[in-house]
Amino acid sequence: ISYIYLIDDPGIPVIRSSINLSEVVENTYLIMTCSTRSTTILPDNLPSDLKPIMEYRWQRDNKNLTNDDRHIVSDNTLTINKVQRQDNKITYRCIAQESGSKLKRSKSLTLDVRCKYIVRV
């Protein structure tokens, strides 16, 4: 049996965050989740093991992110442990792509990190 289906660009990704991005304060944890919808047209009788899977990749200033001491990448989720001042104005990008396709879409956001001041009396 052969199947014909049309793979198209994924929908524009949406990035949701655990905190309001205008209120990111240094030393806080930030969790960002990326999601999009498939626009691929599949035949009704296509077995589920042949259906394309949406794959996600995260970048920081146009470089692919991998797990390190502050960044945890897990499928469509990126966790930043202890946001730092140096993260201010850094651009993070989520790239969505269906398996078996070269077509992809991305969404970017730039962090605005607020410094946490300690007032001693």
Side-chain angles (χ1 to χ4, degrees):
I1 297 176
S2 59
Y3 298 95
I4 298 174
Y5 52 93
L6 175 65
I7 296 179
D8 201 358
D9 290 337
I12 297 171
V14 173
I15 299 175
R16 291 185 171 74
S17 65
S18 58
I19 55 178
N20 185 331
L21 291 175
S22 65
E23 299 174 0
V24 178
V25 177
E26 64 178 333
N27 293 321
T28 59
Y29 286 81
L30 176 61
I31 300 170
M32 295 183 283
T33 304
C34 182
S35 60
T36 190
R37 62 178 173 71
S38 171
T39 58
T40 298
I41 300 171
L42 301 172
D44 292 335
N45 60 343
L46 183 69
S48 60
D49 62 331
L50 295 179
K51 292 181 181 179
I53 297 169
M54 193 65 68
E55 299 170 344
Y56 297 91
R57 187 175 65 219
W58 287 92
Q59 293 182 335
R60 174 183 160 105
D61 280 345
N62 296 315
K63 294 178 185 162
N64 289 338
L65 265 174
T66 56
N67 291 340
D68 60 28
D69 59 332
R70 289 195 325 111
H71 300 91
I72 300 170
V73 179
S74 177
D75 190 33
N76 66 331
T77 302
L78 169 64
T79 302
I80 304 173
N81 294 323
K82 296 193 177 183
V83 173
Q84 298 176 355
R85 288 182 201 182
Q86 300 90 304
D87 295 324
N88 191 44
K89 305 300 181 207
I90 295 292
T91 300
Y92 286 89
R93 173 179 288 121
C94 167
I95 301 169
Q97 181 175 9
E98 285 190 276
S99 57
S101 170
K102 294 184 184 220
L103 304 172
K104 56 189 165 194
R105 285 272 176 99
S106 65
K107 177 73 176 187
S108 300
L109 58 88
T110 302
L111 291 187
D112 183 15
V113 179
R114 297 174 185 228
C115 297
K116 185 175 185 177
Y117 294 102
I118 299 173
V119 178
R120 297 192 178 163
V121 182

